[in-house]
Amino acid sequence: MSPASRYTYLGPEGTFTEAAIRTLPEAATRELVPAVSVPAALDAVRNGEAGGALVPIENSVEGGVNATLDELATGTPLMIYREVLLPIAFALLVRPGTTLEAVKTVTGHPVAQPQVRRWLAKNLPDAQWESAASNADGARLVREGRYDAAFAGEFAAATYGLTPLVTGIHDAENAETRFVLVGRPGRPAARTGADKTSLVLWLGDDRPGALLELLQEFAVRGVNLVRIESRPTGEGIGRYCFSVDAEGHIADRRVGEALMGLRRICPKVRFLGSYPRAGVDPSEVTPLRRGTTDEEFAEASDWLARCVDGRA
């Protein structure tokens, strides 16, 4: 297959990321290649070795996935074209014949630990936890005898020859992880009426009200923010950029004008794409407040033009 028909994902086989990428309609016609890390998956796209990469970006329990947020904020620009929401529940995978009483060491991805902490305290209070590169890699380590058990998706058991000793483990009901399909920059996905726009914003001078000015560009135009997180820029203590998800599409007048306003006041703005919101139907979107529809923006623009021409 050509690189354009190849998708990478955070591997190895048996991860939740693999389960998420297989929900994509086009997955059946793509070569799916696991990568050892989020940077490796995204670099395959940057280098032209793959047409897209699916990586985790947010968890409903732990928040943002820092490796993905930082990779999208730096380096050669990439764009998000789609998102996938995947319900997350863990299974305790063991070698055949292992009992719960025999489990003394457990492993899994660091993001998994906070999602099973209370279950561990109740059922395996003396077990020692050590982190693995991924939940699937933890399953591999159990197969090799390095650990007694691993927290991973139940679907990983067959891949690694393990047994699901306990299934449906989660501390938080309805826990889910959000994944994004990332490609090289191009035209954004088509507007659907239930869209999301992702950005990275850098503040200028560190002064009172700087963040408020940034937020006002959204607020005065009726653009709702669904996520905002600060990330260090690496330029010194107190230097941050902001990863932002906003409701709407760049083709919406309110969103486009907000982006123009941000471009005027921020030293740097990185547009990460506009794409359909997973699990949201356009009919379910809250109606826009007065003065923020495309028609009202167009009418205001026409009124201004008439004023300039002396026809107001």
Side-chain angles (χ1 to χ4, degrees):
M1 290 187 174
S2 68
S5 60
R6 182 181 301 128
Y7 280 177
T8 60
Y9 66 91
L10 177 61
E13 294 180 1
T15 60
F16 285 108
T17 312
E18 183 189 14
I21 199 171
R22 291 192 181 279
T23 68
L24 299 178
E26 66 269 32
T29 60
R30 297 293 193 276
E31 179 187 4
L32 305 181
V33 181
V36 297
S37 64
V38 168
L42 297 180
D43 282 345
V45 177
R46 289 184 169 115
N47 298 334
E49 299 167 4
L54 193 84
V55 292
I57 195 171
E58 182 182 7
N59 178 267
S60 61
V61 176
E62 279 295 280
V65 178
N66 292 339
T68 300
L69 297 178
D70 293 345
E71 278 294 314
L72 292 178
T74 59
T76 303
L78 295 168
M79 273 182 57
I80 299 170
Y81 290 92
R82 188 178 303 173
E83 67 177 10
V84 174
L85 294 179
L86 188 74
I88 301 296
F90 294 91
L92 187 69
L93 304 186
V94 299
R95 293 181 295 278
T98 302
T99 64
L100 193 62
E101 293 73 20
V103 174
K104 304 302 180 185
T105 56
V106 295
T107 187
H109 192 275
V111 174
Q113 187 181 19
Q115 301 180 62
V116 299
R117 185 181 292 122
R118 289 197 296 270
W119 188 94
L120 265 175
K122 179 181 179 180
N123 297 277
L124 293 170
D126 298 322
Q128 180 181 351
W129 169 283
E130 290 194 31
S131 295
S134 69
N135 296 315
D137 194 54
R140 177 185 64 82
L141 295 173
V142 170
R143 181 185 63 187
E144 295 175 358
R146 300 269 298 277
Y147 300 99
D148 297 325
F151 285 99
E154 184 177 356
F155 48 80
T159 301
Y160 294 96
L162 302 177
T163 298
L165 185 61
V166 184
T167 60
I169 301 171
H170 49 70
D171 287 351
E173 293 289 338
N174 304 315
E176 58 185 2
T177 294
R178 173 177 163 234
F179 301 84
V180 288
L181 180 65
V182 178
R184 287 180 290 278
R187 294 186 64 86
R191 181 165 56 170
T192 68
D195 302 294
K196 182 182 292 183
T197 293
S198 295
L199 309 161
V200 184
L201 308 171
W202 281 259
L203 289 180
D205 297 333
D206 183 13
R207 55 184 173 76
L211 178 58
L212 177 61
E213 287 182 3
L214 183 155
L215 297 176
Q216 284 177 331
E217 294 295 333
F218 295 105
V220 297
R221 296 173 177 88
V223 178
N224 184 46
L225 298 186
V226 294
R227 185 185 62 84
I228 179 168
E229 293 186 48
S230 62
R231 293 296 303 152
T233 63
E235 299 171 352
I237 296 294
R239 304 295 295 178
Y240 292 92
C241 62
F242 293 87
S243 176
V244 174
D245 291 333
E247 288 183 346
H249 194 282
I250 192 172
D252 298 332
R253 290 286 291 269
R254 69 188 188 283
V255 177
E257 291 204 9
L259 266 61
M260 287 192 292
L262 292 165
R263 184 65 182 84
R264 291 195 300 270
I265 66 173
C266 295
K268 184 178 178 183
V269 176
R270 177 169 284 198
F271 172 64
L272 293 179
S274 292
Y275 47 91
R277 293 181 64 188
V280 178
D281 188 88
S283 64
E284 301 171 347
V285 175
T286 303
L288 299 175
R289 78 176 193 223
R290 182 185 175 190
T292 62
T293 67
D294 279 7
E295 293 75 17
E296 288 164 322
F297 271 97
E299 193 280 330
S301 180
D302 290 342
W303 173 82
L304 182 62
R306 292 196 302 271
C307 289
V308 172
D309 292 341
R311 299 181 289 111

